[in-house]
Structure formats: C-alpha cells, structure tokens
Amino acid sequence: RQAHRDREGKAGNRDEARPHMMSIVRRVRGNALFWQLVRYIVIGGGITAYGAAVYWLLAEFAGVAPLVANTIAFVTGVVIGYVLHSRLSFGVDPAHAVGRTTTRFALVNLLGFAMNSLWVWLLVERLDGPTWWPIVPMVCVTPLTTFALHRSWTFGQGNHA
C-alpha cells in the first residue's frame, strides 16, 4: 500500500508541474530571439563544422600552412554563410539588402576570421600545439561574437527575425 501511495504522490506532483511547464513552453515558443538563435546555431554550426573540417584537413593532410588553410576555409564559408544566414537566421532577402548588409556581413566575418587566425597563430604557431587546438575557440568563442554583431549591427536590432 505504501508503494501505491508513493506513486500517487509522485503523480500528483507531476500534475501540479504541468501548468508551470506549459507556461515555460508557451514563452519559449513565442520568443523570437530564442528561435533566431536556434536557427543561427544550427546553420552556423554546420558552417563552422565545415570550416573547421576544411581547415584541419588542409593543414593536417594536404600540407597547407595552417594560416593559409584557415583563409581557404573562411572564404568558402563566408559565401555560404551570407546566403543562409541572411535568409534563414535573420529573415532578409539578400537581393534586397545587398549594399549595407553585404558590407557589414563581410566586416563582421573579417573580425571572425581575425579571431580564428589569432587562435591558429597563438595555439599552433606560437605555443606549438596540435592543429586541432584552435578548433575549440573557433567553435565556442567566435560564433557567439559574430552572432551578437550580426544581430545588432549587420541585420539591425533583430527586427528581421
């Protein structure tokens, strides 16, 4: 009997928690910034993984100098990134916002490139670490910086979400 009462007590606690959980779900579902960040993470994660893979494969197996490999990864990734982020992350048609957003997108991504080059220089060339070390800040630090700048400056105060 005690086990039955314990199960009933737990079920009661679950029923009491449901309205609170539904309230949280409704708030998250209606939060445009949250979903914009989710889209940016998914798209940016794919582009970041692509760039990290291109960098590492070129630097590790193709004999390309690490900073040159990073440059190749950056140039190809930024083209893909502009098309996908402008349309899907920030809801802007690139054909209608070519001037201002393209320039700002390029500048923000040049900052991201500089950050990633710093990671490569510092961790591989200066500290003589393995070629995979810069991938950690490339994946964890640079994307958060560029998201904040794209949201607030490239595509405007998040009005296009």
Side-chain angles (χ1 to χ4, degrees):
R1 281 189 227 177
Q2 183 63 34
H4 178 70
R5 276 187 244 143
D6 288 344
R7 280 192 301 259
E8 283 180 1
K10 289 178 184 173
N13 289 341
R14 254 183 285 153
D15 290 341
E16 292 168 10
R18 279 192 185 135
H20 180 67
M21 286 301 294
M22 292 309 294
S23 172
I24 292 171
V25 168
R26 273 192 232 88
R27 275 186 271 156
V28 167
R29 202 180 289 164
N31 188 325
L33 173 59
F34 173 80
W35 290 111
Q36 184 180 46
L37 183 58
V38 167
R39 289 188 307 270
Y40 189 85
I41 289 170
V42 170
I43 293 165
I47 294 166
T48 300
Y50 162 83
V54 167
Y55 155 76
W56 185 71
L57 290 170
L58 291 174
E60 189 69 23
F61 299 108
V64 176
L67 287 171
V68 173
N70 185 53
T71 302
I72 293 167
F74 167 77
V75 169
T76 58
V78 81
V79 172
I80 296 166
Y82 180 73
V83 172
L84 294 178
H85 281 310
S86 62
R87 288 178 187 252
L88 303 175
S89 298
F90 298 100
V92 174
D93 182 359
H96 292 106
V98 170
R100 183 180 71 109
T101 61
T102 303
T103 302
R104 288 181 177 192
F105 191 86
L107 290 172
V108 168
N109 281 287
L110 282 171
L111 174 65
F113 172 71
M115 290 175 70
N116 287 346
S117 295
L118 172 67
W119 309 137
V120 171
W121 173 80
L122 177 65
L123 299 172
V124 176
E125 307 220 351
R126 185 82 173 137
L127 297 178
D128 202 29
T131 55
W132 65 264
W133 277 7
I135 293 172
V136 175
M138 284 177 176
V139 170
C140 299
V141 178
T142 304
L144 292 175
T145 303
T146 57
F147 172 76
L149 289 170
H150 283 317
R151 185 171 198 285
S152 65
W153 188 59
T154 304
F155 298 105
Q157 306 294 315
N159 297 329
H160 304 291

